[in-house]
Amino acid sequence: MIDEKNGLNYIKVGDYWIPDLESDMKPVEGKYAEMRCQFLQDKRGITYTHLLTTGQLNQRLQEIQDEATQRVEVLISQMKEEEQVNEELKAKDQMIWVQLMNNIKSRAEEIVLKEIVYR
C-alpha cells in the first residue's frame, strides 16, 4: 500500500501496516553530513525519525553538507586574509605556513560544527 500523502510504501506485518523504509536512494557522503546524522540519532531521536519516515533525511543531510563546506571555505579565506597567511609567507617559510593553515582550518571547522552541524 502506498500513502498518497507522503509517498511512502507500507507493508503489512501481522495486523499492522508499517512503513517500508528500505530505500534505493544513495546515502549522502561527506563528513559534515555523517556528523549531523550521528548527532540526530544520538541527541535528536524524534527529529531523526521524522526526517527518516518522511523521506527528507538525505535531502537535509545534503543541505547541511553543502552549507558547512561552503562556510568552512569562506571562514578559511577570511582568516587567511586577516592573519596575512599568503603565498609570500608560503615561499618564505613553508613550515610556518603549514602550521598556520592547519590552525586556521581547525578553527574554521570548530565554528562550523557549532553553528551548523550541532545546532
Side-chain angles (χ1 to χ4, degrees):
M1 171 178 110
I2 296 180
D3 184 0
E4 299 298 325
K5 181 179 172 187
N6 60 18
L8 288 177
N9 188 30
Y10 287 82
I11 55 175
K12 190 169 186 175
V13 177
D15 293 334
Y16 301 99
W17 288 94
I18 60 171
D20 183 10
L21 298 179
E22 288 190 26
S23 174
D24 56 348
M25 289 192 305
K26 185 178 170 185
V28 178
E29 293 183 10
K31 75 178 190 179
Y32 302 114
E34 290 177 17
M35 290 171 145
R36 178 65 176 183
C37 186
Q38 191 64 48
F39 171 74
L40 289 174
Q41 287 176 333
D42 294 345
K43 305 291 184 187
R44 304 280 193 273
I46 293 172
T47 302
Y48 174 79
T49 302
H50 172 73
L51 291 171
L52 182 64
T53 57
T54 58
Q56 299 174 353
L57 182 62
N58 278 356
Q59 176 186 349
R60 186 65 187 129
L61 292 176
Q62 186 62 55
E63 290 170 4
I64 293 290
Q65 178 65 34
D66 296 342
E67 182 182 355
T69 301
Q70 182 180 12
R71 182 75 172 127
V72 165
E73 290 172 4
V74 168
L75 286 170
I76 288 174
S77 176
Q78 290 173 348
M79 289 179 188
K80 279 174 53 179
E81 188 174 323
E82 288 174 11
E83 299 173 23
Q84 299 175 350
V85 179
N86 51 31
E87 293 299 315
E88 183 180 317
L89 176 62
K90 185 177 180 181
K92 183 178 173 184
D93 192 344
Q94 193 172 22
M95 289 305 293
I96 295 293
W97 181 85
V98 169
Q99 290 172 353
L100 292 173
M101 285 301 298
N102 286 339
N103 183 276
I104 288 171
K105 183 179 180 190
S106 177
R107 288 185 289 146
E109 287 185 341
E110 186 176 334
I111 291 168
V112 166
L113 292 178
K114 184 177 180 182
E115 286 181 353
I116 298 172
V117 177
Y118 298 135
R119 66 178 152 101

